[in-house]
Amino acid sequence: MNQTLALVAAITAVNPARLHPALPAARENRKERLQIAAIGALTATVGLGGIALVAQNVNDALDVSAATTRIAVGVVLLLSAGRDFFATPISPVPSLISPPLLSPSRTSESTTGTAGTAGTAGTAGTAGTAGTAGTAGTVKTSLATGLVPLAFPLLLAPGLGLLTMSASIDEGVFFATAAAAFALSTVVGSAFFPSAEPESVLACATTGAARFCAALLLLCATGLIVDGIFDI
Amino acid sequence: MAAGLLTWAVALGAVRAVAHPEFCPTATAHNTRAAATAAVGWFTRNQQPDGSWIYRYDKERDTIEAGYNLVRHAGVIMSLYQAAHAGIPGALAAADAGTEYALRRLVRQEDKTAFGTGRQLSAGASALLTAGLAERREVTGDPRHDDLLASMGRFLHGQLTDEAAILAYWDRETGPIPGYFSPFYTGETLWALARLHSLFPEDGWDVPTRKVAQYISTSRDDAERRFPPISDHWAAYGIAEIAAWPSRTHDKPASAPASPPAPALSHTNTSTKRSDSDLSPLTPANIAYAIRTAGIFGVQTRFESQRSDHGIQRWTRGPYAPGSGLGTIGEGMAALWRAGRADPRLATQVPGGLDRMAERATCAAGMLVTRQITASEAAGLQHAELAQGAWFYRGDTQMDDQQHALSALLAVSQILEETVREKSGSPIFSRRKPALSHPVIAAPTRRGTPE
């Protein structure tokens, strides 16, 4: 596996532009956004490091060669890219749209307000968490959202997980984990910027960037498949 | 959370559907040679008094089917001379009898000779007979066919177009027939011409050989068949032969082949190892082509190793390839391995290096060993002599199944012996690890069986 290809594939599999709207939106929430993103990225890195560590053994146990794994991962990434490209942009995850940490009234408002969004986003499972969070529990709940849903299932998604596995088999545990960590760090980087207002030019640009990432991922996935097929 | 878990489950299911387990039975120098010996036994038992062989046998209906193919006849002769070179008893006599059959079917015109019958003759039959007789020349040191070899070489040279493509057919009255090409005759001709240069280095066979090699490496796929890429084991033989020519930097003439039948597969001396500055005559385009072709053999091996007669693979991967199809994969990969041994550029540029190539070739041989009909398996059949030592595909076996399997086993046996020699007793390649999988370029089925 070409290392550059693996790195680009990892970044586009994470697709920070697609995930960005899911982070707490308000400009004044930057610190919280960063904390949540860091928790999510760190947790996902640990998880992916674990995957990288056992990748070779799992492959051996399954009697599958590295090249075949690459092809299979390429197929999964192809599906992921298709989803990222054609699906509607990810909607704000309710539990991630927390208000300023010490403002109970706004917390309540905001939580209520986003529950409906959650319904449309298909992440209703997280609405309950946010909804039950009281004032005292807001900080905890908000940071916990770095674990669920940010680390899992949003970051520890099959595409990135399997790509890390394949990269570990081909290029070693260190490279695979480092590439995954770098890719995940882009989510933390994106947390420096507040989400754009819906329907704004910036929101459109974010959506465009997310689709561009998906298109790049499609190319990377095709590259992996071809590479796997013509490997020896 | 539940949706995330479901996504993972679906993804893992997709991975499992694409990445089936690959099974490579153990191949050793001993069991590959034993299987090769059994294949030679099939040819010695099933040779007719006129030197031809039983062409096809259907064990389900217990019938010997009609038909014959002179390209395959020449291919069998070639494989048997390879077996003779490896010292397998009975191979030389059977090959010589097959040669006598061929000599009675030669067509001479001016200074050219072709092998075939009828009005139109194929280039492939003459190319493989040339390669076979070149092998005989090397094994025995007997010069009796030298004039014939040169004459057939001139015939093959006459089939070259300006672009160095090989016209597949020649008409007794009109000469080479323009516009018709074969996926395999070009590679067969390349190998034959390359062998002629190895045998007779002063006669200038290297010039057309280089042209054909360059054509195959750079233009053939575009000019003749773009997709799927040709899995050309014959071209691989040719590349290996060229790689073993004297180097470009030293450029001293090759010594005329002498008699001692060293235990090598062909003129391609696998112990030939060059330094980085001592380049073989292969061009960068030839090297790139060899790497591409190794990739094709690689994916075919991985795909074949995923086949099984039970479980989901039975439906997703189809039935086992014929012995001929699987054999060509082993032959091709082993030939490229020899080329890599002779040219460090290929060895270093090919993904996974020579070890990976050896591993894939060995995997193909392991599958051949386990799929060959043993004496005990054949014992229950009415015509055990037609089944023992053979490879069957959907109930029937054809002589080229044994031919290609035999050549592959001999080639891999040589790899294993050399590997053992070098690694002094460390375990050889076994079991798993080849890799997938594209149905389009899976091992050739009967219809696509190479000649």
Side-chain angles (χ1 to χ4, degrees):
Chain A
M1 180 186 290
N2 179 296
Q3 291 193 345
T4 309
L5 178 68
L7 193 60
V8 174
I11 294 168
T12 52
V14 169
N15 201 339
R18 181 172 181 267
L19 285 182
H20 190 255
L23 292 172
R27 184 174 294 279
E28 58 272 25
N29 285 1
R30 192 167 97 163
K31 187 179 170 194
E32 186 194 6
R33 245 190 346 258
L34 279 168
Q35 284 175 332
I36 289 172
I39 288 172
L42 200 66
T43 308
T45 301
V46 170
L48 293 171
I51 289 176
L53 210 59
V54 300
Q56 186 65 60
N57 292 335
V58 169
N59 233 38
D60 286 349
L62 295 173
D63 275 347
V64 177
S65 65
T68 300
T69 302
R70 214 175 305 142
I71 294 168
V73 170
V75 169
V76 170
L77 288 178
L78 212 58
L79 297 173
S80 302
R83 180 205 60 191
D84 288 1
F85 193 87
F86 293 109
T88 49
I90 195 165
S91 302
V93 177
S95 54
L96 288 175
I97 309 175
S98 58
L101 298 178
L102 298 174
S103 170
S105 59
R106 290 182 61 183
T107 302
S108 167
E109 258 178 53
S110 179
T111 306
T112 312
T114 54
T117 318
T120 58
T123 49
T126 57
T129 314
T132 54
T135 310
T138 303
V139 174
K140 273 188 180 172
T141 307
S142 294
L143 294 182
T145 56
L147 298 177
V148 178
L150 187 59
F152 184 86
L154 290 176
L155 295 178
L156 271 173
L160 185 60
L162 293 168
L163 176 66
T164 305
M165 179 177 167
S166 180
S168 170
I169 294 164
D170 285 327
E171 302 295 333
V173 177
F174 178 77
F175 171 80
T177 310
F182 182 77
L184 290 167
S185 72
T186 60
V187 176
V188 182
S190 75
F192 278 99
F193 307 99
S195 294
E197 291 296 322
E199 312 288 322
S200 68
V201 174
L202 200 58
C204 287
T206 308
T207 305
R211 292 214 160 116
F212 176 72
C213 269
L216 261 184
L217 181 60
L218 194 103
L219 290 177
C220 291
T222 308
L224 280 177
I225 292 171
V226 170
D227 188 46
I229 287 174
F230 288 101
D231 194 355
I232 293 175
Chain B
M1 177 75 104
L5 290 173
L6 185 65
T7 311
W8 266 96
V10 170
L12 291 176
V15 166
R16 201 58 184 154
V18 175
H20 290 318
E22 294 155 17
F23 183 65
C24 293
T26 302
T28 63
H30 176 74
N31 70 8
T32 51
R33 190 176 170 85
T37 304
V40 170
W42 189 93
F43 284 115
T44 55
R45 281 193 309 276
N46 297 302
Q47 191 164 30
Q48 309 294 303
D50 66 354
S52 65
W53 286 274
I54 298 288
Y55 185 63
R56 184 187 291 176
Y57 169 63
D58 184 332
K59 77 176 157 87
E60 309 297 332
R61 291 187 295 170
D62 193 29
T63 53
I64 293 170
E65 299 188 0
Y68 207 64
N69 182 309
L70 292 182
V71 181
R72 289 181 173 134
H73 179 88
V76 170
I77 291 172
M78 183 277 301
S79 286
L80 285 170
Y81 281 131
Q82 288 178 333
H85 209 157
I88 294 182
L92 184 60
D96 277 345
T99 297
E100 289 304 317
Y101 175 92
L103 295 180
R104 291 191 294 273
R105 288 161 178 79
L106 295 180
V107 176
R108 291 192 166 83
Q109 200 169 80
E110 298 168 0
D111 61 345
K112 299 171 185 170
T113 304
F115 168 41
T117 56
R119 179 172 165 173
Q120 294 181 350
L121 282 66
S122 77
S126 297
L128 287 183
L129 184 60
T130 303
L133 291 180
E135 187 79 25
R136 184 187 189 280
R137 174 70 161 80
E138 197 182 339
V139 176
T140 63
D142 178 357
R144 78 173 71 173
H145 298 306
D146 283 3
D147 289 342
L148 174 60
L149 280 168
S151 182
M152 286 198 295
R154 285 190 290 273
F155 165 75
L156 294 172
H157 190 199
Q159 295 298 108
L160 260 73
T161 67
D162 291 342
E163 295 77 27
I166 300 296
L167 296 173
Y169 300 100
W170 176 82
D171 188 292
R172 286 176 194 248
E173 292 176 12
T174 60
I177 303 173
Y180 290 92
F181 305 97
S182 152
F184 299 110
Y185 296 171
T186 310
E188 290 165 353
T189 302
L190 170 70
W191 187 33
L193 294 171
R195 299 228 58 186
L196 287 177
H197 179 67
S198 298
L199 281 176
F200 312 115
E202 307 301 328
D203 293 355
W205 296 112
D206 56 328
V207 177
T209 306
R210 287 177 206 270
K211 285 182 184 171
V212 177
Q214 199 66 7
Y215 169 75
I216 288 176
S217 303
T218 59
S219 317
R220 181 179 61 173
D221 288 349
D222 291 334
E224 296 181 22
R225 191 180 88 182
R226 193 162 184 78
F227 189 84
I230 300 170
S231 169
D232 195 345
H233 55 293
W234 299 118
Y237 272 113
I239 293 286
E241 191 72 32
I242 295 170
W245 285 353
S247 67
R248 278 190 298 187
T249 49
H250 294 177
D251 217 16
K252 55 188 174 192
S255 53
S259 16
L265 180 66
S266 74
H267 179 79
T268 308
N269 183 358
T270 58
S271 62
T272 304
K273 275 187 166 177
R274 298 173 200 266
S275 66
D276 286 341
S277 60
D278 186 14
L279 302 179
S280 82
L282 294 175
T283 65
N286 299 153
I287 301 272
Y289 171 75
I291 293 171
R292 279 203 312 278
T293 307
I296 294 172
F297 296 135
V299 72
Q300 288 178 324
T301 311
R302 288 180 270 137
F303 190 86
E304 186 62 32
S305 70
Q306 293 176 23
R307 284 183 163 145
S308 170
D309 50 12
H310 60 272
I312 190 175
Q313 291 102 307
R314 192 177 162 200
W315 306 107
T316 56
R317 294 290 180 266
Y320 291 133
S324 54
L326 183 51
T328 58
I329 298 169
E331 285 179 280
M333 191 63 98
L336 293 177
W337 179 85
R338 293 195 297 275
R341 294 269 289 187
D343 193 313
R345 293 171 299 170
L346 176 55
T348 52
Q349 288 175 38
V350 74
L354 288 183
D355 285 350
R356 182 86 60 82
M357 293 166 85
E359 194 178 328
R360 298 292 182 247
T362 306
C363 179
M367 290 187 274
L368 284 170
V369 168
T370 56
R371 296 178 194 176
Q372 187 179 33
I373 301 295
T374 62
S376 57
E377 287 167 335
L381 300 170
Q382 192 170 353
H383 288 99
E385 76 282 3
L386 286 164
Q388 184 184 339
W391 286 264
F392 282 85
Y393 175 73
R394 294 185 169 175
D396 70 22
T397 186
Q398 206 165 271
M399 67 182 194
D400 53 310
D401 287 325
Q402 281 64 266
Q403 172 214 325
H404 289 291
L406 170 60
S407 290
L409 290 164
L410 292 169
V412 172
S413 171
Q414 190 178 2
I415 292 176
L416 293 169
E417 283 166 10
E418 296 220 4
T419 308
V420 168
R421 256 201 300 278
E422 284 185 2
K423 296 187 178 172
S424 58
S426 59
I428 330 164
F429 314 99
S430 68
R431 275 212 81 212
R432 58 181 73 123
K433 253 329 115 53
L436 179 85
S437 9
H438 200 278
V440 175
I441 47 177
T445 56
R446 175 72 77 206
R447 281 189 66 187
T449 300
E451 291 179 331

